């Protein structure tokens, strides 16, 4: 066996599945630095590519913030980079395949730049079989670190630079919340705000509880401070992030929950508040009332259903029946005016019958979603569902997937049609790549709107009259210009 650096710690799924009952430690130390690391990136460039969910996007911004803090500057061109980090996602096989393709493509850069450091981080690094595969088959990777030790990135980079050994440091368990890390945000007016990390739901198909560890809520005062400083810096919109935002605060036992947090964040007066993801479990009517009555909380809710069939839901470990889901759904629709609701759906769960699949189609028809993210089930090593018997052919799964997409498109188009002739408020993000006079941004209901307007409006909220609807976008014209 090759002699690896002293930093050699591989993950273990068994350890990752454990949940310790200890109180979470809030680590306010920030970055771990020494004399060498504090300006290690001077005159050097970094490239970070992030895959996966909003939580991972937020991590990518922290990683960028750390690298900039120690002197690196950003490049969008891998050819110029001294450090390349792939911040990966493990939720489905196709997400992983993309990363392996990218690692393969990067190999040639090592011949032109032998000092180049290639690192893999994010959720794929938390899986033992992936770490083994990289170590065995991808010698171009110098550094692997996980989701729990981002604060140690400067030390790990130093080790990779100076010792020329492959550095692997992935912690399987974590009882900490890392505060006070530098962040380099991609947008000047939209920001991610983590409110909790990890997941304890252990849906049978899902790898996230292993890669992200136990549910850990940030202290409400730390979140509010971050929101205040974003507001003061001119940010217009924040998105509160967690795998199950409705479970916020439960682990803390300090007498506050997601409803309390929403109220206090709303009280800061920041212009737009969004949140993802809402697991139907733990969603209280009090939370719905706050969303319904607060002007600055956007009327958009992402409420994953996964399946419309009770037996499949039970085997997925989702903890609700379709009836319970629909009652919650109807309560949101009736209380939150102009609500927009999206969902996630998995087709081809092991053993899913045609009849069970049709219950999902029926649910989509009944719920009339504004949009839906649809996925073909992908077995994840170490999860209970990966061991379930599966007699559904790939061809059948593909066929169901296509039927589902058709149903979802129908309902998305219908939902968009209701906006034609109405005026919506759009936070302008930028101009269309093809035409400088076409601006785009999201409405309060999270509809992507392309419209004619003035480029000076980027970063502000404008009124847009909708003139046309497509399946996934709306078109219109700025009002009063
Ligand atoms: N915490 C969120 C979901 C995070 S993962 C929630 O529970 O609502 C995002 C989506 O990926 C899930 O909602 C699910 O639809 C999908 N997904 C997760 N694991 C999957 C798998 N093994 N195969 C296919 N899709 C999966
Ligand atoms: Fe995965 Fe379920 Fe947790 Fe969502 S709630 S992250 S689907 S285990
Ligand atoms: Fe992917 Fe990890 Fe997010 S698996 S979806 S990046 S939590």
């Amino acid at each position: 066996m090759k002699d690896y650096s002293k930093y050699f710690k591989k993950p273990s799924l068994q350890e990752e599945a454990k949940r310790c009952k200890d109180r979470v430690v809030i680590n306010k130390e920030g970055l771990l630095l020494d004399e060498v690391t504090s300006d290690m990136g001077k005159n050097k460039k970094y490239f970070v590519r992030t895959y996966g969910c909003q939580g991972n996007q937020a991590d990518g911004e922290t990683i960028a913030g750390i690298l900039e803090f120690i002197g690196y500057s950003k490049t969008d061109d891998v050819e110029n980079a001294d450090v390349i980090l792939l911040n990966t996602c493990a939720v489905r096989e196709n997400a992983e395949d993309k990363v392996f393709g990218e690692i393969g493509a990067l190999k040639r850069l090592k011949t032109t730049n032998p000092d180049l450091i290639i690192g893999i981080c994010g959720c794929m690094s938390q899986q033992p079989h992936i770490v083994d595969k990289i170590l065995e088959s991808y010698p171009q990777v110098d550094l692997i670190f996980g989701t729990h030790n981002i604060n140690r990135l400067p030390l790990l980079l130093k080790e990779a630079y100076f010792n020329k050994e492959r550095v692997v440091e992935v912690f399987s368990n974590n009882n900490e919340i890392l505060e006070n890390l530098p962040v380099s945000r991609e947008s000047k007016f939209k920001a991610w705000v983590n409110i909790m990390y990890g997941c304890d739901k252990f849906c049978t198909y899902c790898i996230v509880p292993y890669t992200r560890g136990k549910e850990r809520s940030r202290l409400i005062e730390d979140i509010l401070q971050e929101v205040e400083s974003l507001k003061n810096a001119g940010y217009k919109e924040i998105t509160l992030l967690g795998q199950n935002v409705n479970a916020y605060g439960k682990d803390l036992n300090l007498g506050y929950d997601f409803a309390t947090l929403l109220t206090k964040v709303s009280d800061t007066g920041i212009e737009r508040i969004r949140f993802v993801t809402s697991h139907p479990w733990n969603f209280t009517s009090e939370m719905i009332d706050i969303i319904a009555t607060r002007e600055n909380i956007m009327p958009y809710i992402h409420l994953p259903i996964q399946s419309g069939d009770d037996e499949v839901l039970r085997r997925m470990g989702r903890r609700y029946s379709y009836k319970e889901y629909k009652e919650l759904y109807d309560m949101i629709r009736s209380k939150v005016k102009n609500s927009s609701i999206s969902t996630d759906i998995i087709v081809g769960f092991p053993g899913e019958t045609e009849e069970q699949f049709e219950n999902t189609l029926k649910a989509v028809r009944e719920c009339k979603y504004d949009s839906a993210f649809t996925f073909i089930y992908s077995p994840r090593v170490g999860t209970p569902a990966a061991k379930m018997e599966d007699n559904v052919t790939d061809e059948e799964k593909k066929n169901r997937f296509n039927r589902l997409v058709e149903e979802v498109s129908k309902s998305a188009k219908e939902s968009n049609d209701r906006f034609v002739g109405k005026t919506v408020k759009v936070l302008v993000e930028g101009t269309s790549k093809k035409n400088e006079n076409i601006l785009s941004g999201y409405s309060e209901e999270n509809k992507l709107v392309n419209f004619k307007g003035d480029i000076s409006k980027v970063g502000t909220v404008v009124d847009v009259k909708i003139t046309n609807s497509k399946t996934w976008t709306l078109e219109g014209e700025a009002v009063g210009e």
Side-chain angles (χ1 to χ4, degrees):
M1 176 117 171
K2 197 171 173 324
D3 186 22
Y4 290 104
S5 106
K6 65 177 171 174
Y7 291 96
F8 192 76
K9 191 162 180 45
K10 290 205 304 187
S12 141
L13 274 182
Q14 285 78 15
E15 288 300 311
E16 288 176 352
K18 288 184 188 158
R19 289 294 178 264
C20 82
K21 295 267 178 282
D22 296 349
R23 204 178 172 79
V24 168
V25 176
I26 312 287
N27 180 345
K28 301 222 169 192
E29 257 176 43
L31 259 191
L32 295 177
L33 293 172
D34 59 18
E35 271 169 29
V36 180
T37 49
S38 48
D39 65 349
M40 202 168 71
K42 221 162 88 188
N43 303 322
K44 294 201 173 92
K45 292 199 164 53
Y46 76 88
F47 174 95
V48 176
R49 173 162 293 158
T50 295
Y51 305 76
C53 62
Q54 292 97 331
N56 219 32
Q57 303 285 338
D59 282 355
E61 294 185 342
T62 304
I63 289 166
I66 293 173
L67 293 171
E68 287 172 21
F69 193 84
I70 58 174
Y72 287 92
S73 51
K74 181 180 166 165
T75 175
D76 290 325
D77 182 2
V78 279
E79 310 278 336
N80 290 331
D82 300 284
V83 173
I84 297 172
L85 294 180
L86 303 183
N87 183 27
T88 63
C89 171
V91 82
R92 282 171 295 275
E93 195 176 356
N94 56 6
E96 298 188 333
D97 288 346
K98 263 192 240 160
V99 171
F100 281 117
E102 182 78 32
I103 303 176
L106 292 174
K107 188 170 186 181
R108 71 184 166 84
L109 294 177
K110 280 277 190 176
T111 47
T112 48
N113 178 8
D115 287 334
L116 170 67
I117 299 282
I118 299 179
I120 306 297
C121 56
C123 287
M124 278 171 74
S125 302
Q126 294 289 146
Q127 300 182 100
H129 73 284
I130 296 282
V131 171
D132 287 341
K133 179 168 169 180
I134 296 173
L135 289 176
E136 274 159 34
S137 312
Y138 297 89
Q140 64 269 43
V141 173
D142 307 283
L143 167 63
I144 303 175
F145 63 99
T147 59
H148 300 304
N149 54 347
I150 291 178
N151 57 330
R152 293 168 55 79
L153 174 56
L155 301 180
L156 302 176
L157 261 184
K158 179 178 89 170
E159 193 65 17
Y161 263 126
F162 295 111
N163 280 350
K164 304 282 176 212
E165 293 286 359
R166 302 176 88 182
V167 175
V168 179
E169 189 184 85
V170 185
F171 299 151
S172 300
N173 256 313
N174 178 283
N175 198 36
E176 267 187 352
I177 286 195
L178 302 173
E179 290 290 349
N180 299 331
L181 292 176
V183 184
S184 171
R185 299 185 193 270
E186 271 177 27
S187 164
K188 294 278 168 281
F189 42 88
K190 273 170 73 163
W192 309 119
V193 175
N194 279 305
I195 64 166
M196 59 193 304
Y197 302 94
C199 178
D200 287 348
K201 297 286 188 285
F202 286 98
C203 301
T204 56
Y205 50 81
C206 184
I207 197 68
V208 173
Y210 305 83
T211 63
R212 292 283 165 171
K214 79 171 186 179
E215 243 165 55
R216 314 180 298 288
S217 300
R218 287 178 76 194
L219 294 174
I220 199 163
E221 55 266 31
D222 292 336
I223 298 169
L224 292 172
Q225 200 178 31
E226 186 174 349
V227 176
E228 286 286 357
S229 66
L230 287 166
K231 186 185 164 212
N232 294 337
Y235 279 83
K236 296 284 189 317
E237 178 177 300
I238 55 157
T239 303
L240 307 176
L241 297 181
Q243 290 299 345
N244 314 289
V245 289
N246 316 64
Y248 172 75
K250 284 184 173 295
D251 56 309
L252 291 172
N253 244 331
L254 289 172
Y256 52 74
D257 66 2
F258 187 54
T260 328
L261 178 71
L262 274 180
T263 309
K264 296 219 163 165
V265 172
S266 167
D267 285 343
T268 64
I270 192 146
E271 210 163 323
R272 286 180 155 200
I273 300 157
R274 298 188 187 278
F275 50 90
V276 275
T277 297
S278 306
H279 190 295
W281 182 255
N282 306 133
F283 210 140
T284 65
S285 61
E286 192 193 357
M287 290 170 197
I288 301 173
D289 289 337
I290 292 163
I291 298 163
T293 51
R294 295 289 181 132
E295 285 283 316
N296 58 350
I297 301 181
M298 298 299 102
Y300 164 65
I301 292 136
H302 184 57
L303 195 70
I305 184 170
Q306 312 300 359
S307 165
D309 181 83
D310 287 347
E311 172 57 17
V312 174
L313 284 169
R314 192 189 60 74
R315 288 194 297 120
M316 286 178 162
R318 288 295 287 185
R319 311 169 193 220
Y320 52 80
S321 63
Y322 174 61
K323 184 166 171 281
E324 286 163 331
Y325 177 93
K326 188 66 167 48
E327 277 166 13
L328 173 66
Y329 185 97
D330 289 341
M331 190 177 3
I332 297 172
R333 283 287 195 206
S334 70
K335 284 187 173 179
V336 182
K337 69 173 188 319
N338 297 327
S339 68
S340 163
I341 304 184
S342 62
T343 200
D344 289 345
I345 302 168
I346 299 176
V347 293
F349 188 75
E352 180 193 63
T353 64
E354 170 62 24
E355 195 191 339
Q356 289 169 336
F357 169 70
E358 279 171 17
N359 281 336
T360 298
L361 282 184
K362 186 162 152 268
V364 171
R365 232 170 275 135
E366 286 178 359
C367 290
K368 301 190 192 332
Y369 290 108
D370 290 85
S371 70
F373 301 91
T374 46
F375 311 105
I376 293 182
Y377 167 73
S378 169
R380 305 288 72 209
V381 172
T383 59
K387 295 184 201 85
M388 292 178 191
E389 201 185 326
D390 192 4
N391 51 8
V392 190
T393 63
D394 286 352
E395 200 190 345
E396 181 54 33
K397 290 187 185 195
K398 191 90 201 97
N399 171 284
R400 286 180 195 166
F401 181 78
N402 292 338
R403 286 156 67 200
L404 178 66
V405 169
E406 203 176 303
E407 198 61 55
V408 164
S409 307
K410 232 188 274 167
S411 117
K413 175 74 167 83
E414 263 171 42
S415 126
N416 276 353
D417 286 347
R418 76 179 194 265
F419 286 93
V420 177
K422 299 220 168 80
T423 298
V424 296
K425 290 192 179 309
V426 175
L427 173 54
V428 189
E429 297 201 359
T431 55
S432 147
K433 282 195 191 82
K434 286 177 236 144
N435 183 345
E436 264 228 337
N437 298 319
I438 301 290
L439 304 178
S440 73
Y442 287 87
S443 74
E444 297 193 324
E445 304 82 4
N446 209 39
K447 300 283 177 186
L448 180 58
V449 184
N450 295 316
F451 64 102
K452 286 195 206 93
D454 177 355
I455 192 166
S456 67
K457 297 288 194 240
V458 171
T460 67
V461 175
V462 299
D463 285 332
V464 177
K465 177 143 196 221
I466 301 305
T467 51
N468 189 26
S469 80
K470 298 187 161 179
T471 305
W472 307 116
T473 56
L474 294 172
E475 293 172 345
E477 277 172 34
V479 177
E481 270 188 14

